[in-house]
Amino acid sequence: MCVADNDQCHYQNNNSRCMGITRYKEVIQLLLTHFKVYRSLFLQLSTASDMDNPIIIIGSGLSGFAAARRLMDNDINNIVILEAENRIGGRINSVRFSDGIIDLGAQWVHGQKNNLIYEMTRNNFDFGTTPFEEMYSTFVLTNGTKTDQKDIRKIVDVAYKIIDDIDDLEDPQGSIGETFNKKFDKALKSSKLKNIEPSVIELMKENIERNYNGYTASNSWYDLSAKKNSEEGKASGNQYLTWKKQGFKTFFNFLTKKAPNPAQYLNIESKVQLNKKVTNIKYNTKDETSNVAVTCSDGSSYSAKHVIFTPSLGVLKKYHESLFSPALPQQKILAIKNYGFGTVGKVFLEFEHPFWLEQGKPFLAYEFLWLEQDKKEAKSTNREWMINITGIYVVDQFPNLLEVFLGGSNLNEFETFSDSKITEDCMWLLEKSLSKSLPKPKAMTRTKWLTNDNFLGAYSYGSMDAEKANIGPKDIAESILNADESPILLFAGEATDEKYPSMAHGAVRSGFRAADEIVKFYE
């Protein structure tokens, strides 16, 4: 046989093999397509046969929308979302103010690596930043006396290095406050701080505690468990990414897949019924055929095989006894009662011109060192709420706005005051601390999370009571099953996420987790 014949034979063999591989791939692709179709039909038929009624999601915040998305991604579309407010978003509350949109609720994307929100948006959204990690605030005494900013910055560097170290402790004991004080007292003996006036150091310690309480929504860092803090995950990277002038509500476009590809849009909004405050959830764990009955304050009622409950831990703390029939399991009640839940406050002030900018110098914030006589004056003039202000900050992309941020106690008092009093008090503090008259703001808006009965606060934290009771987010998240192991009552929301409680990305994770539990049951 000639070489040409051998070549031809070799070619024919290879060609046959290529055709076989191509055909094999086609068959595999066909099988995959059929599998997806049959899986979709199976889920629809199984859920339809088991659920003549929809899956009910209570709450239209991040966790509620995340749960709805995951269900719809798995071809479960018979969903109703009951929302107590007259708007979608939950603790995401982006509102129009000045020449853009600001956030009265969650404001920053905290971290990049391991942050689900950042990972879902990073390739299709250009984030801004508030440079808390690159710049120092301007620290001012409340009587208007100048302070040595260099000494202040030395204290700041030492203090926040200690706080970072506390996050990394392997076997922390006691509260965050106790742990900080022990380490800070040792640091005072270092050459870096020993020549600084002791009174200034004490004022700065108070300031750092206020900031930490504001960040964690706690009334006191002596109520914050160092152990619970160490159990939480942290998304590394920039901790203060902003949505620029578009607001956190932008993320709902990514949750519903309107962005980046509108062709994939899931119309979750159409499943939301507003002004539906749930007052009772009746369930039966012994009868696998019975549905969960949900009653609303307007008298309407719903029936479902599965209910995903996403309202805040604050709502659970106040209403769990009346909300659920029968009562929730004792371990869950123990967790609800003992895990921490607090609030923060914000005030946004708009000015004609940014008086805080001096000769083009960069500016981040005013932070206040409260002298005792000024505290007494604030208390005697019904301004005690102001002592909890952590600082007055610039707002990314809004050159004429200042944001007043506060945490700790007296937030209830703050929320009951009128807008005009809040504005006057803020200007009183600024003028007193800067020792000069200032232009009045032309507009303001502020938060009221604590006195809103649908939230009763802002977000959760790992408390000392939670450590003593040996409970955590996992106990709050535990689903209630009926006789056939079907998850009839599921819990989502930031306080139920074991890894990232208190965080917006924790809320998203929790919604996915709850929906996955339902999908897994039917698969």
Side-chain angles (χ1 to χ4, degrees):
M1 186 177 291
C2 68
V3 175
D5 289 339
N6 282 331
D7 288 345
Q8 182 67 23
C9 181
H10 179 71
Y11 169 78
Q12 288 174 346
N13 288 336
N14 278 345
N15 191 43
S16 297
R17 190 178 297 115
C18 289
M19 289 177 66
I21 292 172
T22 301
R23 180 60 181 159
Y24 175 75
K25 289 181 177 179
E26 290 174 354
V27 171
I28 291 296
Q29 187 61 47
L30 186 64
L31 286 172
L32 286 171
T33 302
H34 280 247
F35 170 76
K36 290 176 181 177
V37 171
Y38 289 137
R39 177 182 177 278
S40 175
L41 286 171
F42 172 75
L43 281 171
Q44 291 177 40
L45 287 170
S46 60
T47 53
S49 61
D50 280 352
M51 294 184 297
D52 293 329
N53 302 295
I55 292 176
I56 291 177
I57 299 172
I58 301 172
S60 69
L62 287 177
S63 52
F65 262 60
R69 168 183 165 151
R70 186 56 62 88
L71 291 171
M72 293 174 73
D73 277 342
N74 286 277
D75 302 302
I76 300 175
N77 298 297
N78 193 10
I79 301 166
V80 169
I81 303 176
L82 302 177
E83 171 54 56
E85 292 281 296
N86 62 0
R87 61 173 181 82
I88 287 171
R91 282 170 276 174
I92 303 297
N93 189 10
S94 304
V95 299
R96 183 160 293 281
F97 186 72
S98 185
D99 62 343
I101 295 171
I102 60 168
D103 284 300
L104 297 177
Q107 182 170 349
W108 292 282
V109 176
H110 294 294
Q112 295 164 287
K113 186 178 180 181
N114 298 323
N115 185 322
L116 196 56
I117 291 175
Y118 179 76
E119 289 171 355
M120 291 172 66
T121 55
R122 61 182 178 181
N123 294 327
N124 297 283
F125 189 83
D126 181 25
F127 286 99
T129 186
T130 304
F132 289 124
E133 296 167 326
E134 292 81 36
M135 291 177 62
Y136 292 96
S137 297
T138 299
F139 292 84
V140 291
L141 290 164
T142 48
N143 67 355
T145 305
K146 298 290 185 182
T147 57
D148 188 330
Q149 297 296 311
K150 290 183 179 179
D151 282 349
I152 295 291
R153 290 172 181 178
K154 290 177 184 178
I155 300 170
V156 169
D157 289 342
V158 170
Y160 283 97
K161 174 65 168 61
I162 291 171
I163 288 172
D164 288 341
D165 290 344
I166 291 174
D167 288 342
D168 298 328
L169 289 176
E170 290 186 5
D171 186 28
Q173 304 291 323
S175 69
I176 293 287
E178 292 166 335
T179 307
F180 175 86
N181 285 335
K182 288 177 184 176
K183 291 181 174 294
F184 191 75
D185 288 344
K186 288 182 180 179
L188 289 179
K189 299 173 184 178
S190 71
S191 58
K192 192 172 185 179
L193 300 181
K194 66 181 181 181
N195 294 324
I196 299 176
E197 187 70 32
S199 61
V200 174
I201 291 175
E202 284 304 309
L203 290 173
M204 279 302 298
K205 281 181 67 177
E206 289 181 13
N207 170 273
I208 291 159
E209 180 181 357
R210 276 197 299 274
N211 273 278
Y212 204 88
N213 291 339
Y215 183 78
T216 57
S218 65
N219 283 342
S220 168
W221 63 357
Y222 298 104
D223 186 37
L224 287 165
S225 165
K227 180 180 179 181
K228 290 294 177 184
N229 178 70
S230 70
E231 292 171 354
E232 299 172 8
K234 185 176 181 180
S236 59
N238 192 326
Q239 296 296 306
Y240 295 98
L241 295 171
T242 74
W243 299 92
K244 294 186 174 178
K245 290 189 175 183
Q246 299 180 48
F248 214 127
K249 71 175 185 178
T250 302
F251 181 64
F252 282 90
N253 292 333
F254 291 88
L255 265 183
T256 60
K257 299 187 179 180
K258 186 180 292 183
N261 183 3
Q264 298 179 350
Y265 172 55
L266 299 172
N267 192 3
I268 299 173
E269 290 97 329
S270 67
K271 300 182 182 297
V272 179
Q273 297 182 22
L274 299 176
N275 301 305
K276 291 289 185 179
K277 184 179 178 68
V278 172
T279 54
N280 187 254
I281 301 168
K282 188 175 182 179
Y283 62 96
N284 186 342
T285 59
K286 297 178 180 179
D287 182 1
E288 64 184 54
T289 63
S290 67
N291 287 337
V292 182
V294 178
T295 305
C296 297
S297 59
D298 62 3
S300 59
S301 60
Y302 302 81
S303 180
K305 191 71 173 177
H306 309 277
V307 171
I308 301 176
F309 186 90
T310 74
S312 74
L313 179 57
V315 170
L316 279 173
K317 282 179 178 290
K318 184 174 180 179
Y319 290 115
H320 72 88
E321 290 182 348
S322 61
L323 261 175
F324 299 98
S325 305
L328 295 172
Q330 284 302 309
Q331 182 70 7
K332 187 180 289 291
I333 292 174
L334 185 70
I336 290 169
K337 287 182 176 180
N338 286 283
Y339 204 74
F341 189 76
T343 195
V344 296
K346 297 181 187 181
V347 181
F348 289 90
L349 302 171
E350 182 184 18
F351 296 85
E352 284 289 351
H353 303 287
F355 66 82
W356 48 92
L357 294 182
E358 298 179 5
Q359 299 175 348
K361 293 180 181 178
F363 177 83
L364 176 64
Y366 294 116
E367 292 191 36
F368 303 95
L369 307 181
W370 281 88
L371 300 173
E372 281 303 316
Q373 62 266 32
D374 295 319
K375 287 183 183 178
K376 291 178 181 178
E377 182 181 353
K379 292 176 182 178
S380 66
T381 56
N382 210 21
R383 295 186 177 107
E384 187 174 2
W385 70 271
M386 304 199 73
I387 299 172
N388 293 304
I389 291 176
T390 65
I392 300 182
Y393 309 97
V394 296
V395 183
D396 182 40
Q397 307 295 315
F398 290 87
N400 292 349
L401 292 195
L402 287 178
E403 176 180 357
V404 184
F405 196 94
L406 60 153
S409 57
N410 297 316
L411 267 291
N412 188 73
E413 184 181 47
F414 156 75
E415 292 192 1
T416 60
F417 289 143
S418 67
D419 289 358
S420 58
K421 173 175 169 51
I422 295 296
T423 304
E424 290 169 8
D425 286 355
C426 290
M427 296 312 298
W428 171 83
L429 178 60
L430 280 167
E431 291 184 340
K432 181 176 176 58
S433 302
L434 300 178
S435 291
K436 61 181 178 182
S437 296
L438 298 171
K440 305 303 179 188
K442 66 177 186 178
M444 75 87 74
T445 189
R446 41 85 79 94
T447 60
K448 292 185 179 182
W449 293 106
L450 186 60
T451 51
N452 185 323
D453 202 51
N454 296 324
F455 302 101
L456 299 168
Y459 45 89
S460 64
Y461 61 89
S463 63
M464 291 300 297
D465 285 342
E467 180 183 338
K468 292 171 186 174
N470 194 28
I471 55 85
K474 187 177 180 180
D475 299 291
I476 304 171
E478 189 73 26
S479 297
I480 294 175
L481 312 180
N482 72 1
D484 69 345
E485 301 296 310
S486 169
I488 54 174
L489 185 53
L490 305 96
F491 294 82
E494 50 83 15
T496 71
D497 189 66
E498 197 170 5
K499 193 168 185 181
Y500 301 110
S502 83
M503 294 294 174
H505 49 284
V508 176
R509 279 169 43 96
S510 74
F512 286 163
R513 168 189 48 77
D516 286 341
E517 190 172 344
I518 294 174
V519 171
K520 184 178 179 180
F521 174 77
Y522 285 103
E523 287 187 334

